[in-house]
Amino acid sequence: MARVEVRDISVVYEGADRSVRALDSCALDVADGEPIAIIGPSGCGKSTLLLAAAGLVRPSAGEVLVGGRAVDAPRLKTALILQDFGLLPWKTVFHNAALGLEIRGVAGAERARLVAEALERLGLAEFASAYPAELSGGMRQRLALARALALDADTLLMDEPLSALDALTREDLQGLLLDIWRQRRHTAMLVTHSIEEAVFLGRRVVVLSPRPGRVAAVVDNPEMGAEGYRETSAFYERCAELRALLAAEGALHGAAAGGEA
Amino acid sequence: MGWLRRAIGYLGAAAALVAGWWLLALIVDSPALPGPGLALGDFATLFFSDLLPELGVSAWRVVASMAISVALAAPLGLLVGRSPRLDAVVAPMIFLTYPVPKIVFLPVLLVLLGIGGAPKIALIALIVFFQILVTARDAARQIPAASVLSVRSLGATRSQVFRHVVVPAALPDIFTALRISTGTAIAVLFFSESIAGTSGVGYYIIDAWSRIAYSEMFAGIITMALLGVVLYELLEMAEARVCAWTRAGR
Ligand SMILES: Nc1ncnc2c1ncn2[C@@H]1O[C@H](COP(=O)(O)OP(=O)(O)OP(=O)(O)O)[C@@H](O)[C@H]1O
Ligand SMILES: [Mg+2]
């Protein structure tokens, strides 16, 4: 249903006085229902890759296919969680969560039911009438997730969704993301700066090269999703393997290393 | 609770103002500056008979002109601010005309529209229009790209982006511009009513002045001030309702 095929895309941002090549012949194939993690040095084009997959950035070469069809505009069954969550400060928790459904023209009663369900699932039900400014970082994150869940999307694109959180909340939400994936089996592309998070949530971990981003390596991680995987020695070995790959890409000297404290 | 604190604040400020006025009247000791007792007495006796009709006329002029200008300027400013192509055409025109003191067009408007309410409404609307236009355009330009992107990622059309992002994001700025404009609007109202015509609080003040009826003149001044306070407060209340989110999480 929702296989994501990234076919040799290049993305160039035209600035006022110079242009930046963010991605260069980047190719990637994500199977239907497969969760992958994407990791790479800061500024290598990870966000750009997700935006292209979401149909918000047009590649200057190559194309992205989702569910077998080229995306040239946002696709209704794809949900995108932006790096800064993309919540609207002037809408309440309820209306933020309902936004996608409203834009898609889902009728009021049905919308209320789906949103209530999603908020309940993420433990935000009692904050339905609060504004984002009144939420903690972790709650805002869960709200962004609720909005995506309410859409019943088959493809979930997430751009460092947990990076602003403290370690405890972060592990908690990583577990939640895993639960949701186990339940729904959606295709997932998760961009992260955290090696542990990539190994915990990605069946494959894609390592991008420094800008312009290309796929530098793909690490298979078949044990992902297994009970208690985080505590196994296989998990640590996979992390170590990834760390070595990233070091080879020069990712651990710059700002990207900050996420791994 | 909130309105009670506000009312107490207003009462306190009014008391301080009256005390200052009383002191100043004592020092100046001129019939042109009657004490608050005299002026407030005239205000009380004249309010329903003489002042209220003029207040109605003046309030209508201000409210109508501000409504016209916001109805025209806010949508235009938001459109211009969000469309680089439109902006390239309109922005130079704004920059060229904004600094021109529009009040000098009063004589022209008097010739074209007569000396009734129309030229006053037109002049105030013209001045406030530009203040709102510039604010709305700037507000629309400063909307965070992430907000727009997040709504577009949900499949929003251009008009849905306006409805869910551009309009709500710009509303607090537009309200601020409107509140600031009430001061300008009432100043222009006074000016135009005192120059031409035979109605409105501005005319009443100037008429009392020419008759050397100073305490009546001050009753008129108090009425004008009241108009400003009420308008400002109404806008504040409307903003609190419409933009409740700006008060969240503080
Ligand atoms: N809207 C834009 N206009 C111009 N250049 C951009 C734009 N967005 C990104 N870039 C440039 O493209 C490159 C890749 O950006 P991108 O945001 O995809 O990186 P990233 O891998 O997500 O970085 P980070 O890990 O810091 O989030 C950067 O050099 C950036 O300067
Ligand atoms: Mg990024």
Side-chain angles (χ1 to χ4, degrees), chain A residues 56 74 80 82 84 86 88-91 99 102-104 131 134 147 151, chain B residues 146 150-156 160 163-165 168-169 244-245 248-249:
Chain A
L56 289 171
L80 170 70
L82 290 166
D84 61 358
L88 301 180
W90 44 85
K91 288 188 186 279
L99 188 58
E102 194 179 344
I103 284 170
R104 284 156 167 75
Y131 288 100
E134 299 166 299
R147 177 158 85 189
L151 288 180
Chain B
S150 88
V151 176
R152 284 222 297 130
S153 81
L154 296 168
Q160 282 173 323
R163 183 164 142 232
H164 291 290
V165 180
W245 62 276

PDB file of all heavy atoms in Angstrom, chain A residues 56 74 80 82 84 86 88-91 99 102-104 131 134 147 151, chain B residues 146 150-156 160 163-165 168-169 244-245 248-249:
ATOM      1  N   LEU A  56       6.333  18.311  -0.077  1.00  0.00           N
ATOM      2  CA  LEU A  56       6.399  19.743   0.224  1.00  0.00           C
ATOM      3  C   LEU A  56       7.615  20.407  -0.406  1.00  0.00           C
ATOM      4  O   LEU A  56       7.698  21.628  -0.464  1.00  0.00           O
ATOM      5  CB  LEU A  56       6.429  19.966   1.741  1.00  0.00           C
ATOM      6  CG  LEU A  56       5.114  19.663   2.447  1.00  0.00           C
ATOM      7  CD1 LEU A  56       5.289  19.689   3.951  1.00  0.00           C
ATOM      8  CD2 LEU A  56       4.047  20.653   2.024  1.00  0.00           C
ATOM      9  N   PRO A  74       1.154  17.247  -1.198  1.00  0.00           N
ATOM     10  CA  PRO A  74       0.926  16.443   0.006  1.00  0.00           C
ATOM     11  C   PRO A  74      -0.128  15.367  -0.224  1.00  0.00           C
ATOM     12  O   PRO A  74      -1.146  15.607  -0.846  1.00  0.00           O
ATOM     13  CB  PRO A  74       0.453  17.480   1.017  1.00  0.00           C
ATOM     14  CG  PRO A  74       1.107  18.738   0.588  1.00  0.00           C
ATOM     15  CD  PRO A  74       1.164  18.676  -0.909  1.00  0.00           C
ATOM     16  N   LEU A  80       3.023  13.973   8.559  1.00  0.00           N
ATOM     17  CA  LEU A  80       4.376  14.485   8.759  1.00  0.00           C
ATOM     18  C   LEU A  80       4.442  15.183  10.116  1.00  0.00           C
ATOM     19  O   LEU A  80       3.595  16.005  10.437  1.00  0.00           O
ATOM     20  CB  LEU A  80       4.717  15.469   7.642  1.00  0.00           C
ATOM     21  CG  LEU A  80       5.988  16.285   7.791  1.00  0.00           C
ATOM     22  CD1 LEU A  80       7.219  15.406   7.646  1.00  0.00           C
ATOM     23  CD2 LEU A  80       6.036  17.406   6.762  1.00  0.00           C
ATOM     24  N   LEU A  82       6.825  17.636  12.028  1.00  0.00           N
ATOM     25  CA  LEU A  82       7.976  18.488  11.746  1.00  0.00           C
ATOM     26  C   LEU A  82       8.928  18.556  12.933  1.00  0.00           C
ATOM     27  O   LEU A  82       8.571  18.234  14.067  1.00  0.00           O
ATOM     28  CB  LEU A  82       7.504  19.901  11.406  1.00  0.00           C
ATOM     29  CG  LEU A  82       6.797  20.040  10.063  1.00  0.00           C
ATOM     30  CD1 LEU A  82       6.076  21.363   9.988  1.00  0.00           C
ATOM     31  CD2 LEU A  82       7.805  19.916   8.937  1.00  0.00           C
ATOM     32  N   ASP A  84       9.934  20.977  14.645  1.00  0.00           N
ATOM     33  CA  ASP A  84       9.449  21.751  15.803  1.00  0.00           C
ATOM     34  C   ASP A  84       7.966  21.481  16.063  1.00  0.00           C
ATOM     35  O   ASP A  84       7.257  22.330  16.576  1.00  0.00           O
ATOM     36  CB  ASP A  84       9.712  23.233  15.598  1.00  0.00           C
ATOM     37  CG  ASP A  84       8.986  23.736  14.364  1.00  0.00           C
ATOM     38  OD1 ASP A  84       8.341  22.909  13.703  1.00  0.00           O
ATOM     39  OD2 ASP A  84       9.049  24.939  14.075  1.00  0.00           O
ATOM     40  N   GLY A  86       5.253  21.721  14.602  1.00  0.00           N
ATOM     41  CA  GLY A  86       4.243  22.332  13.738  1.00  0.00           C
ATOM     42  C   GLY A  86       2.887  22.496  14.377  1.00  0.00           C
ATOM     43  O   GLY A  86       1.864  22.455  13.705  1.00  0.00           O
ATOM     44  N   LEU A  88      -0.092  24.720  16.090  1.00  0.00           N
ATOM     45  CA  LEU A  88      -0.521  26.096  15.912  1.00  0.00           C
ATOM     46  C   LEU A  88      -0.886  26.679  17.282  1.00  0.00           C
ATOM     47  O   LEU A  88      -1.803  26.197  17.928  1.00  0.00           O
ATOM     48  CB  LEU A  88      -1.718  26.160  14.969  1.00  0.00           C
ATOM     49  CG  LEU A  88      -1.436  25.582  13.577  1.00  0.00           C
ATOM     50  CD1 LEU A  88      -2.664  25.689  12.694  1.00  0.00           C
ATOM     51  CD2 LEU A  88      -0.259  26.296  12.923  1.00  0.00           C
ATOM     52  N   PRO A  89      -0.163  27.715  17.731  1.00  0.00           N
ATOM     53  CA  PRO A  89      -0.368  28.230  19.082  1.00  0.00           C
ATOM     54  C   PRO A  89      -1.757  28.790  19.316  1.00  0.00           C
ATOM     55  O   PRO A  89      -2.188  28.899  20.461  1.00  0.00           O
ATOM     56  CB  PRO A  89       0.685  29.337  19.227  1.00  0.00           C
ATOM     57  CG  PRO A  89       1.227  29.580  17.871  1.00  0.00           C
ATOM     58  CD  PRO A  89       0.935  28.382  17.035  1.00  0.00           C
ATOM     59  N   TRP A  90      -2.466  29.173  18.233  1.00  0.00           N
ATOM     60  CA  TRP A  90      -3.788  29.773  18.413  1.00  0.00           C
ATOM     61  C   TRP A  90      -4.898  28.747  18.432  1.00  0.00           C
ATOM     62  O   TRP A  90      -6.059  29.090  18.537  1.00  0.00           O
ATOM     63  CB  TRP A  90      -4.060  30.804  17.316  1.00  0.00           C
ATOM     64  CG  TRP A  90      -3.661  30.347  15.965  1.00  0.00           C
ATOM     65  CD1 TRP A  90      -4.393  29.593  15.110  1.00  0.00           C
ATOM     66  CD2 TRP A  90      -2.406  30.594  15.329  1.00  0.00           C
ATOM     67  NE1 TRP A  90      -3.676  29.348  13.977  1.00  0.00           N
ATOM     68  CE2 TRP A  90      -2.465  29.964  14.072  1.00  0.00           C
ATOM     69  CE3 TRP A  90      -1.257  31.296  15.696  1.00  0.00           C
ATOM     70  CZ2 TRP A  90      -1.399  29.998  13.186  1.00  0.00           C
ATOM     71  CZ3 TRP A  90      -0.204  31.333  14.805  1.00  0.00           C
ATOM     72  CH2 TRP A  90      -0.282  30.694  13.558  1.00  0.00           C
ATOM     73  N   LYS A  91      -4.555  27.464  18.323  1.00  0.00           N
ATOM     74  CA  LYS A  91      -5.594  26.440  18.383  1.00  0.00           C
ATOM     75  C   LYS A  91      -5.417  25.619  19.660  1.00  0.00           C
ATOM     76  O   LYS A  91      -4.295  25.368  20.086  1.00  0.00           O
ATOM     77  CB  LYS A  91      -5.515  25.530  17.161  1.00  0.00           C
ATOM     78  CG  LYS A  91      -5.979  26.215  15.875  1.00  0.00           C
ATOM     79  CD  LYS A  91      -6.074  25.223  14.752  1.00  0.00           C
ATOM     80  CE  LYS A  91      -6.398  25.873  13.434  1.00  0.00           C
ATOM     81  NZ  LYS A  91      -7.837  26.144  13.275  1.00  0.00           N
ATOM     82  N   LEU A  99      -6.959  19.219  13.236  1.00  0.00           N
ATOM     83  CA  LEU A  99      -6.665  20.039  12.054  1.00  0.00           C
ATOM     84  C   LEU A  99      -6.619  19.234  10.756  1.00  0.00           C
ATOM     85  O   LEU A  99      -7.226  19.608   9.755  1.00  0.00           O
ATOM     86  CB  LEU A  99      -5.347  20.787  12.271  1.00  0.00           C
ATOM     87  CG  LEU A  99      -4.997  21.823  11.220  1.00  0.00           C
ATOM     88  CD1 LEU A  99      -6.099  22.855  11.120  1.00  0.00           C
ATOM     89  CD2 LEU A  99      -3.683  22.494  11.575  1.00  0.00           C
ATOM     90  N   GLU A 102      -9.987  18.166   9.734  1.00  0.00           N
ATOM     91  CA  GLU A 102     -10.796  19.285   9.292  1.00  0.00           C
ATOM     92  C   GLU A 102     -10.432  19.658   7.855  1.00  0.00           C
ATOM     93  O   GLU A 102     -11.298  19.879   7.013  1.00  0.00           O
ATOM     94  CB  GLU A 102     -10.571  20.476  10.235  1.00  0.00           C
ATOM     95  CG  GLU A 102     -11.607  21.553  10.046  1.00  0.00           C
ATOM     96  CD  GLU A 102     -11.409  22.719  10.988  1.00  0.00           C
ATOM     97  OE1 GLU A 102     -10.669  22.565  11.981  1.00  0.00           O
ATOM     98  OE2 GLU A 102     -11.984  23.781  10.710  1.00  0.00           O
ATOM     99  N   ILE A 103      -9.115  19.707   7.598  1.00  0.00           N
ATOM    100  CA  ILE A 103      -8.665  20.067   6.259  1.00  0.00           C
ATOM    101  C   ILE A 103      -9.113  19.034   5.234  1.00  0.00           C
ATOM    102  O   ILE A 103      -9.441  19.358   4.102  1.00  0.00           O
ATOM    103  CB  ILE A 103      -7.133  20.241   6.256  1.00  0.00           C
ATOM    104  CG1 ILE A 103      -6.790  21.587   6.909  1.00  0.00           C
ATOM    105  CG2 ILE A 103      -6.550  20.150   4.861  1.00  0.00           C
ATOM    106  CD1 ILE A 103      -5.340  21.776   7.187  1.00  0.00           C
ATOM    107  N   ARG A 104      -9.192  17.787   5.666  1.00  0.00           N
ATOM    108  CA  ARG A 104      -9.642  16.742   4.754  1.00  0.00           C
ATOM    109  C   ARG A 104     -11.154  16.668   4.659  1.00  0.00           C
ATOM    110  O   ARG A 104     -11.702  15.787   4.007  1.00  0.00           O
ATOM    111  CB  ARG A 104      -9.109  15.380   5.221  1.00  0.00           C
ATOM    112  CG  ARG A 104      -7.651  15.172   4.907  1.00  0.00           C
ATOM    113  CD  ARG A 104      -7.073  14.146   5.861  1.00  0.00           C
ATOM    114  NE  ARG A 104      -5.776  13.661   5.455  1.00  0.00           N
ATOM    115  CZ  ARG A 104      -4.662  14.354   5.564  1.00  0.00           C
ATOM    116  NH1 ARG A 104      -4.698  15.587   6.016  1.00  0.00           N
ATOM    117  NH2 ARG A 104      -3.508  13.836   5.200  1.00  0.00           N
ATOM    118  N   TYR A 131      -4.161  25.345  25.442  1.00  0.00           N
ATOM    119  CA  TYR A 131      -3.393  25.773  24.279  1.00  0.00           C
ATOM    120  C   TYR A 131      -1.992  25.166  24.356  1.00  0.00           C
ATOM    121  O   TYR A 131      -1.503  24.871  25.447  1.00  0.00           O
ATOM    122  CB  TYR A 131      -3.305  27.299  24.225  1.00  0.00           C
ATOM    123  CG  TYR A 131      -4.604  27.941  23.838  1.00  0.00           C
ATOM    124  CD1 TYR A 131      -5.449  28.491  24.792  1.00  0.00           C
ATOM    125  CD2 TYR A 131      -4.997  27.984  22.514  1.00  0.00           C
ATOM    126  CE1 TYR A 131      -6.659  29.071  24.434  1.00  0.00           C
ATOM    127  CE2 TYR A 131      -6.197  28.556  22.142  1.00  0.00           C
ATOM    128  CZ  TYR A 131      -7.025  29.095  23.100  1.00  0.00           C
ATOM    129  OH  TYR A 131      -8.207  29.657  22.736  1.00  0.00           O
ATOM    130  N   GLU A 134       0.465  25.987  27.033  1.00  0.00           N
ATOM    131  CA  GLU A 134       0.226  25.511  28.402  1.00  0.00           C
ATOM    132  C   GLU A 134       0.673  24.067  28.602  1.00  0.00           C
ATOM    133  O   GLU A 134       0.413  23.488  29.646  1.00  0.00           O
ATOM    134  CB  GLU A 134      -1.270  25.636  28.725  1.00  0.00           C
ATOM    135  CG  GLU A 134      -1.763  27.066  28.652  1.00  0.00           C
ATOM    136  CD  GLU A 134      -3.275  27.182  28.640  1.00  0.00           C
ATOM    137  OE1 GLU A 134      -3.915  26.653  27.716  1.00  0.00           O
ATOM    138  OE2 GLU A 134      -3.817  27.798  29.557  1.00  0.00           O
ATOM    139  N   ARG A 147      -2.166  14.249  16.428  1.00  0.00           N
ATOM    140  CA  ARG A 147      -2.676  14.797  15.174  1.00  0.00           C
ATOM    141  C   ARG A 147      -2.416  13.832  14.025  1.00  0.00           C
ATOM    142  O   ARG A 147      -3.265  13.605  13.180  1.00  0.00           O
ATOM    143  CB  ARG A 147      -2.012  16.145  14.894  1.00  0.00           C
ATOM    144  CG  ARG A 147      -2.454  16.728  13.585  1.00  0.00           C
ATOM    145  CD  ARG A 147      -2.258  18.204  13.544  1.00  0.00           C
ATOM    146  NE  ARG A 147      -0.918  18.553  13.134  1.00  0.00           N
ATOM    147  CZ  ARG A 147      -0.435  19.783  13.189  1.00  0.00           C
ATOM    148  NH1 ARG A 147      -1.155  20.766  13.676  1.00  0.00           N
ATOM    149  NH2 ARG A 147       0.772  20.035  12.786  1.00  0.00           N
ATOM    150  N   LEU A 151      -5.325  10.960  11.821  1.00  0.00           N
ATOM    151  CA  LEU A 151      -5.490  10.898  10.376  1.00  0.00           C
ATOM    152  C   LEU A 151      -5.594   9.480   9.857  1.00  0.00           C
ATOM    153  O   LEU A 151      -5.926   9.274   8.714  1.00  0.00           O
ATOM    154  CB  LEU A 151      -4.285  11.546   9.702  1.00  0.00           C
ATOM    155  CG  LEU A 151      -4.226  13.046   9.823  1.00  0.00           C
ATOM    156  CD1 LEU A 151      -2.997  13.555   9.120  1.00  0.00           C
ATOM    157  CD2 LEU A 151      -5.472  13.625   9.201  1.00  0.00           C
TER     158      LEU A 151
ATOM    159  N   ALA B 146       7.305  27.232   9.542  1.00  0.00           N
ATOM    160  CA  ALA B 146       6.931  25.908  10.047  1.00  0.00           C
ATOM    161  C   ALA B 146       5.424  25.781  10.212  1.00  0.00           C
ATOM    162  O   ALA B 146       4.850  24.723   9.934  1.00  0.00           O
ATOM    163  CB  ALA B 146       7.628  25.639  11.377  1.00  0.00           C
ATOM    164  N   SER B 150       3.406  22.960   8.244  1.00  0.00           N
ATOM    165  CA  SER B 150       2.710  21.886   8.943  1.00  0.00           C
ATOM    166  C   SER B 150       1.279  21.768   8.446  1.00  0.00           C
ATOM    167  O   SER B 150       0.741  20.677   8.327  1.00  0.00           O
ATOM    168  CB  SER B 150       2.760  22.106  10.451  1.00  0.00           C
ATOM    169  OG  SER B 150       1.681  22.889  10.877  1.00  0.00           O
ATOM    170  N   VAL B 151       0.661  22.901   8.147  1.00  0.00           N
ATOM    171  CA  VAL B 151      -0.713  22.855   7.656  1.00  0.00           C
ATOM    172  C   VAL B 151      -0.740  22.378   6.202  1.00  0.00           C
ATOM    173  O   VAL B 151      -1.620  21.621   5.801  1.00  0.00           O
ATOM    174  CB  VAL B 151      -1.365  24.241   7.801  1.00  0.00           C
ATOM    175  CG1 VAL B 151      -2.757  24.238   7.219  1.00  0.00           C
ATOM    176  CG2 VAL B 151      -1.437  24.612   9.262  1.00  0.00           C
ATOM    177  N   ARG B 152       0.276  22.789   5.439  1.00  0.00           N
ATOM    178  CA  ARG B 152       0.330  22.331   4.047  1.00  0.00           C
ATOM    179  C   ARG B 152       0.566  20.820   3.994  1.00  0.00           C
ATOM    180  O   ARG B 152       0.044  20.140   3.123  1.00  0.00           O
ATOM    181  CB  ARG B 152       1.441  23.061   3.289  1.00  0.00           C
ATOM    182  CG  ARG B 152       1.050  24.494   2.936  1.00  0.00           C
ATOM    183  CD  ARG B 152       1.473  24.863   1.520  1.00  0.00           C
ATOM    184  NE  ARG B 152       2.897  24.832   1.330  1.00  0.00           N
ATOM    185  CZ  ARG B 152       3.501  24.202   0.335  1.00  0.00           C
ATOM    186  NH1 ARG B 152       2.797  23.515  -0.537  1.00  0.00           N
ATOM    187  NH2 ARG B 152       4.804  24.236   0.234  1.00  0.00           N
ATOM    188  N   SER B 153       1.354  20.323   4.961  1.00  0.00           N
ATOM    189  CA  SER B 153       1.621  18.878   4.959  1.00  0.00           C
ATOM    190  C   SER B 153       0.342  18.087   5.205  1.00  0.00           C
ATOM    191  O   SER B 153       0.252  16.922   4.865  1.00  0.00           O
ATOM    192  CB  SER B 153       2.667  18.525   6.011  1.00  0.00           C
ATOM    193  OG  SER B 153       2.076  18.435   7.288  1.00  0.00           O
ATOM    194  N   LEU B 154      -0.645  18.733   5.802  1.00  0.00           N
ATOM    195  CA  LEU B 154      -1.924  18.062   6.028  1.00  0.00           C
ATOM    196  C   LEU B 154      -2.822  18.180   4.802  1.00  0.00           C
ATOM    197  O   LEU B 154      -3.970  17.750   4.826  1.00  0.00           O
ATOM    198  CB  LEU B 154      -2.619  18.662   7.247  1.00  0.00           C
ATOM    199  CG  LEU B 154      -1.888  18.472   8.576  1.00  0.00           C
ATOM    200  CD1 LEU B 154      -2.504  19.338   9.656  1.00  0.00           C
ATOM    201  CD2 LEU B 154      -1.913  17.015   8.993  1.00  0.00           C
ATOM    202  N   GLY B 155      -2.285  18.793   3.753  1.00  0.00           N
ATOM    203  CA  GLY B 155      -3.045  18.883   2.518  1.00  0.00           C
ATOM    204  C   GLY B 155      -3.867  20.148   2.363  1.00  0.00           C
ATOM    205  O   GLY B 155      -4.796  20.190   1.570  1.00  0.00           O
ATOM    206  N   ALA B 156      -3.547  21.185   3.131  1.00  0.00           N
ATOM    207  CA  ALA B 156      -4.346  22.404   3.107  1.00  0.00           C
ATOM    208  C   ALA B 156      -4.202  23.143   1.774  1.00  0.00           C
ATOM    209  O   ALA B 156      -3.117  23.214   1.213  1.00  0.00           O
ATOM    210  CB  ALA B 156      -3.943  23.331   4.242  1.00  0.00           C
ATOM    211  N   GLN B 160      -7.238  27.465   2.868  1.00  0.00           N
ATOM    212  CA  GLN B 160      -7.196  26.844   4.202  1.00  0.00           C
ATOM    213  C   GLN B 160      -5.972  27.315   4.980  1.00  0.00           C
ATOM    214  O   GLN B 160      -6.026  27.472   6.197  1.00  0.00           O
ATOM    215  CB  GLN B 160      -7.192  25.318   4.077  1.00  0.00           C
ATOM    216  CG  GLN B 160      -8.583  24.762   3.781  1.00  0.00           C
ATOM    217  CD  GLN B 160      -8.563  23.270   3.497  1.00  0.00           C
ATOM    218  OE1 GLN B 160      -7.640  22.766   2.868  1.00  0.00           O
ATOM    219  NE2 GLN B 160      -9.579  22.568   3.959  1.00  0.00           N
ATOM    220  N   ARG B 163      -7.022  30.540   6.397  1.00  0.00           N
ATOM    221  CA  ARG B 163      -8.000  30.426   7.466  1.00  0.00           C
ATOM    222  C   ARG B 163      -7.364  29.882   8.751  1.00  0.00           C
ATOM    223  O   ARG B 163      -7.627  30.373   9.839  1.00  0.00           O
ATOM    224  CB  ARG B 163      -9.119  29.506   7.006  1.00  0.00           C
ATOM    225  CG  ARG B 163     -10.183  29.396   8.034  1.00  0.00           C
ATOM    226  CD  ARG B 163     -11.460  28.839   7.505  1.00  0.00           C
ATOM    227  NE  ARG B 163     -11.947  28.004   8.585  1.00  0.00           N
ATOM    228  CZ  ARG B 163     -12.295  26.752   8.439  1.00  0.00           C
ATOM    229  NH1 ARG B 163     -12.255  26.189   7.262  1.00  0.00           N
ATOM    230  NH2 ARG B 163     -12.691  26.068   9.476  1.00  0.00           N
ATOM    231  N   HIS B 164      -6.489  28.883   8.616  1.00  0.00           N
ATOM    232  CA  HIS B 164      -5.966  28.225   9.813  1.00  0.00           C
ATOM    233  C   HIS B 164      -4.677  28.847  10.321  1.00  0.00           C
ATOM    234  O   HIS B 164      -4.332  28.685  11.491  1.00  0.00           O
ATOM    235  CB  HIS B 164      -5.737  26.735   9.543  1.00  0.00           C
ATOM    236  CG  HIS B 164      -7.000  25.962   9.349  1.00  0.00           C
ATOM    237  ND1 HIS B 164      -7.873  25.706  10.377  1.00  0.00           N
ATOM    238  CD2 HIS B 164      -7.556  25.424   8.248  1.00  0.00           C
ATOM    239  CE1 HIS B 164      -8.914  25.029   9.910  1.00  0.00           C
ATOM    240  NE2 HIS B 164      -8.744  24.844   8.622  1.00  0.00           N
ATOM    241  N   VAL B 165      -3.941  29.537   9.461  1.00  0.00           N
ATOM    242  CA  VAL B 165      -2.642  30.066   9.883  1.00  0.00           C
ATOM    243  C   VAL B 165      -2.556  31.586   9.752  1.00  0.00           C
ATOM    244  O   VAL B 165      -2.372  32.294  10.742  1.00  0.00           O
ATOM    245  CB  VAL B 165      -1.491  29.417   9.084  1.00  0.00           C
ATOM    246  CG1 VAL B 165      -0.159  29.972   9.543  1.00  0.00           C
ATOM    247  CG2 VAL B 165      -1.518  27.908   9.249  1.00  0.00           C
ATOM    248  N   PRO B 168      -5.409  33.825  11.869  1.00  0.00           N
ATOM    249  CA  PRO B 168      -5.231  33.815  13.326  1.00  0.00           C
ATOM    250  C   PRO B 168      -3.869  34.320  13.782  1.00  0.00           C
ATOM    251  O   PRO B 168      -3.770  34.965  14.822  1.00  0.00           O
ATOM    252  CB  PRO B 168      -5.430  32.343  13.711  1.00  0.00           C
ATOM    253  CG  PRO B 168      -5.410  31.569  12.461  1.00  0.00           C
ATOM    254  CD  PRO B 168      -5.750  32.483  11.342  1.00  0.00           C
ATOM    255  N   ALA B 169      -2.831  34.069  12.996  1.00  0.00           N
ATOM    256  CA  ALA B 169      -1.499  34.524  13.414  1.00  0.00           C
ATOM    257  C   ALA B 169      -1.397  36.042  13.366  1.00  0.00           C
ATOM    258  O   ALA B 169      -0.692  36.651  14.167  1.00  0.00           O
ATOM    259  CB  ALA B 169      -0.428  33.901  12.519  1.00  0.00           C
ATOM    260  N   ALA B 244      -7.792  34.520  22.472  1.00  0.00           N
ATOM    261  CA  ALA B 244      -7.599  34.009  23.832  1.00  0.00           C
ATOM    262  C   ALA B 244      -6.232  33.335  23.986  1.00  0.00           C
ATOM    263  O   ALA B 244      -5.621  33.380  25.046  1.00  0.00           O
ATOM    264  CB  ALA B 244      -8.708  33.027  24.176  1.00  0.00           C
ATOM    265  N   TRP B 245      -5.732  32.746  22.908  1.00  0.00           N
ATOM    266  CA  TRP B 245      -4.494  31.969  23.005  1.00  0.00           C
ATOM    267  C   TRP B 245      -3.292  32.829  23.386  1.00  0.00           C
ATOM    268  O   TRP B 245      -2.319  32.326  23.936  1.00  0.00           O
ATOM    269  CB  TRP B 245      -4.222  31.252  21.688  1.00  0.00           C
ATOM    270  CG  TRP B 245      -4.032  32.167  20.525  1.00  0.00           C
ATOM    271  CD1 TRP B 245      -5.007  32.730  19.740  1.00  0.00           C
ATOM    272  CD2 TRP B 245      -2.788  32.634  20.016  1.00  0.00           C
ATOM    273  NE1 TRP B 245      -4.444  33.520  18.783  1.00  0.00           N
ATOM    274  CE2 TRP B 245      -3.083  33.482  18.919  1.00  0.00           C
ATOM    275  CE3 TRP B 245      -1.444  32.438  20.365  1.00  0.00           C
ATOM    276  CZ2 TRP B 245      -2.092  34.117  18.189  1.00  0.00           C
ATOM    277  CZ3 TRP B 245      -0.467  33.076  19.620  1.00  0.00           C
ATOM    278  CH2 TRP B 245      -0.789  33.900  18.548  1.00  0.00           C
ATOM    279  N   ALA B 248      -2.518  32.487  26.947  1.00  0.00           N
ATOM    280  CA  ALA B 248      -2.297  31.150  27.487  1.00  0.00           C
ATOM    281  C   ALA B 248      -0.840  30.950  27.878  1.00  0.00           C
ATOM    282  O   ALA B 248       0.059  31.463  27.226  1.00  0.00           O
ATOM    283  CB  ALA B 248      -2.703  30.100  26.452  1.00  0.00           C
ATOM    284  N   GLY B 249      -0.643  30.215  28.962  1.00  0.00           N
ATOM    285  CA  GLY B 249       0.699  29.787  29.335  1.00  0.00           C
ATOM    286  C   GLY B 249       1.604  30.895  29.806  1.00  0.00           C
ATOM    287  O   GLY B 249       2.819  30.803  29.679  1.00  0.00           O
TER     288      GLY B 249
END
